[in-house]
Amino acid sequence: MIIIKSKEEIELMKEAGRVTAQLLASLEQFIQPGMTTKEIDRYVEETIRKSGQIPAFKGYSGYPASACISVNDQVVHGIPGKRKLLEGDIVSVDLGTIYKGYYSDAARTFGVGKIDPEAQRLIDVTRESFFEGLKFCKPGFRLSDVSHAIQVRAEADGFSVVRDFVGHGIGRNMHEDPQVPNYGAPGRGPRLVPGMVLAIEPMINQGTYEVEVLQDGWTTVTLDGKLSAHYENSVVITEDEPLLLTL
């Protein structure tokens, strides 16, 4: 069941989203070659707690950290640890907060130092595909119109769209209905109406869209070992233009 949020609920989600947006923006300067993924996670948790909010991911379904940190061929759900970032790596950071019982969720992919132009193109197209989908986040369009626009943009540049993981509704729970795929034919699924809040999150691969989950039960990698990028925001459907809570 899709839960429509009231104006009061959206105000609470705005506050959760504000902290998440500011934190992700600060990571652009914070992330440097030589630091470990655990150091990034520690910074994320400390920043969230200093804001008076709660890290949404810590303990979620048993997840052991406050951020999912995925490097290079890791698509999503990378567990922070002793891995040191190298010049030229790309790193996706997915995080969220809880404010008065309401969730935010967003992700960005960052270059570590100077990166390969093709890696930068993947990051850029992943972000652009989100904004192509956003054009259809208005009342009257159907959910798959968003999905289709994301897929078309990504594939136009020769990249592939992950099928095994999708976006989702968000509110009092991290994952709510509806699921939001990043691929598919247009004109399908529920019509978008004001008060829907969706976490839209293209996960785009350099090579095949196929992925596998590693033995830790979380870390997901591309099947061919090529790079993957991730871009996500929590989005409110309004009477007019969509509202981005995490940007």
Side-chain angles (χ1 to χ4, degrees), residues 218-235:
W218 287 101
T219 308
T220 301
V221 300
T222 59
L223 205 57
D224 57 10
K226 293 186 178 180
L227 299 179
S228 184
H230 189 190
Y231 188 89
E232 176 183 20
N233 284 302
S234 300
V235 179

Side-chain angles (χ1 to χ4, degrees), residues 66-88:
S66 294
C68 297
I69 303 177
S70 307
V71 183
N72 294 336
D73 65 328
Q74 295 176 348
V75 180
V76 284
H77 304 157
I79 298 174
K82 295 179 181 178
R83 180 173 183 165
K84 285 191 175 181
L85 298 179
L86 304 175
E87 181 95 14

Side-chain angles (χ1 to χ4, degrees), residues 7 24-25 30 70 82 86 88-89 100 109 124 143 151 164 181 199 203 223 229 231 239:
K7 288 181 180 178
L24 284 168
F30 180 79
S70 307
K82 295 179 181 178
L86 304 175
D89 283 345
K100 295 187 177 180
T109 300
D124 293 343
L143 189 66
Q151 180 180 13
D164 291 33
M203 290 152 275
L223 205 57
Y231 188 89
E239 298 282 357

Side-chain angles (χ1 to χ4, degrees), residues 127-178:
R127 181 181 183 277
E128 289 163 13
S129 70
F130 168 87
F131 283 100
E132 284 300 311
L134 191 70
K135 292 177 182 178
F136 295 89
C137 289
K138 297 177 184 178
F141 286 109
R142 291 193 181 273
L143 189 66
S144 75
D145 295 330
V146 180
S147 308
H148 181 71
I150 291 169
Q151 180 180 13
V152 167
R153 178 67 192 91
E155 292 181 351
D157 265 67
F159 298 127
S160 66
V161 179
V162 172
R163 264 60 164 180
D164 291 33
F165 297 89
V166 298
H168 49 92
I170 186 170
R172 277 195 167 277
N173 296 289
M174 171 88 76
H175 295 101
E176 297 182 352
D177 290 336

